[in-house]
Amino acid sequence: EDQVTQSPEALRLQEGESSSLNCSYTVSGLRGLFWYRQDPGKGPEFLFTLYSAGEEKEKERLKATLTKKESFLHITAPKPEDSATYLCAVQPMGGNNRLAFGKGNQVVVIP
Amino acid sequence: GAGVSQSPSNKVTEKGKDVELRCDPISGHTALYWYRQSLGQGLEFLIYFQGNSAPDKSGLPSDRFSAERTGGSVSTLTIQRTQQEDSAVYLCASRSPGVLVGYTFGSGTRLTVV
């Protein structure tokens, strides 16, 4: 069974204090790994797709990396508007392209 | 439309009543998914529609849950005889043709069964 574990569950950061979120996964063949951002009362918003170990993608203050067992989402010099829940999901090979999600990392950035 | 539209945004229902949740996907998106997000839990897959193919219903938690997609566009998720454990946010997502494109999610329907 495909599993995704995210840590830490919750994180409070001072504005400007860089940190990393972890997503550990087990999957029977990885087609892709996804990061989403979710704000309260909203649906998840797509951030990145990573396909193979060693790949990195960046968007503003966010940088996602991928190894064969885990992915990291690095937040550099965060701002209060980066406060959100970050969701990690894996898409296994084959099947119907459904995603298996972790429970999320809840990030609060304090001004 | 510009995004995935879900209605209603909030629904409060009495235990035992039936409810219908609606999803209007992005035009041209052939794949449509329903997920459920319970408090403190990850998103749970419910059902998947792809074009005219038979839907993948393997995630539906019980036979009280059903879904249909008419004309390859709008989808309705129906929950019969609702129970308190059905309380959750029900999210719909659509995906354009192409294997590794990220889903686009709607804002969800928050269902509360009292």
Side-chain angles (χ1 to χ4, degrees):
Chain A
E1 183 179 339
D2 306 320
Q3 288 195 330
V4 179
T5 303
Q6 293 186 245
S7 62
E9 289 186 13
L11 187 63
R12 287 172 66 88
L13 299 171
Q14 291 291 327
E15 184 172 1
E17 178 189 2
S18 300
S19 188
S20 296
L21 311 178
N22 177 264
C23 171
S24 297
Y25 64 91
T26 55
V27 64
S28 52
L30 181 69
R31 188 184 292 274
L33 183 142
F34 297 78
W35 282 98
Y36 285 84
R37 171 192 170 123
Q38 187 173 26
D39 293 298
K42 301 279 184 68
E45 175 188 349
F46 172 74
L47 291 174
F48 304 109
T49 308
L50 301 167
Y51 301 109
S52 58
E55 189 174 2
E56 300 182 350
K57 292 209 174 156
E58 289 190 64
K59 180 180 180 179
E60 296 181 354
R61 295 175 293 283
L62 300 178
K63 179 180 177 180
T65 62
L66 180 65
T67 73
K68 289 186 177 180
K69 294 183 178 181
E70 57 192 352
S71 176
F72 291 93
L73 185 65
H74 307 278
I75 310 177
T76 302
K79 298 182 177 182
E81 54 262 42
D82 295 323
S83 298
T85 296
Y86 292 88
L87 301 174
C88 175
V90 296
Q91 180 177 348
M93 291 289 188
N96 60 16
N97 295 316
R98 73 166 80 173
L99 301 183
F101 282 85
K103 293 182 180 180
N105 308 101
Q106 186 177 27
V107 175
V108 174
V109 182
I110 304 162
Chain B
V4 177
S5 178
Q6 291 190 245
S7 60
S9 55
N10 282 284
K11 176 72 176 179
V12 179
T13 190
E14 292 181 352
K15 179 180 172 181
K17 299 282 190 182
D18 297 352
V19 295
E20 285 190 352
L21 313 179
R22 177 188 166 103
C23 173
D24 198 346
I26 293 173
S27 177
H29 281 198
T30 56
L32 186 148
Y33 299 78
W34 284 96
Y35 283 79
R36 179 168 70 175
Q37 188 173 33
S38 303
L39 192 63
Q41 301 299 313
L43 273 72
E44 174 191 5
F45 167 78
L46 296 177
I47 189 169
Y48 161 66
F49 295 90
Q50 172 61 60
N52 295 321
S53 302
D56 177 352
K57 305 179 182 179
S58 61
L60 295 178
S62 77
D63 59 8
R64 294 186 296 104
F65 289 72
S66 63
E68 63 177 20
R69 188 178 185 191
T70 54
S73 181
V74 171
S75 177
T76 302
L77 178 68
T78 301
I79 309 173
Q80 296 178 312
R81 304 181 301 282
T82 52
Q83 303 295 312
Q84 288 186 328
E85 60 262 29
D86 300 334
S87 297
V89 176
Y90 289 82
L91 290 162
C92 175
S94 68
R95 179 173 56 81
S96 66
V99 174
L100 283 173
V101 177
Y103 297 3
T104 301
F105 281 89
S107 292
T109 294
R110 180 175 296 278
L111 175 66
T112 303
V113 181
V114 298

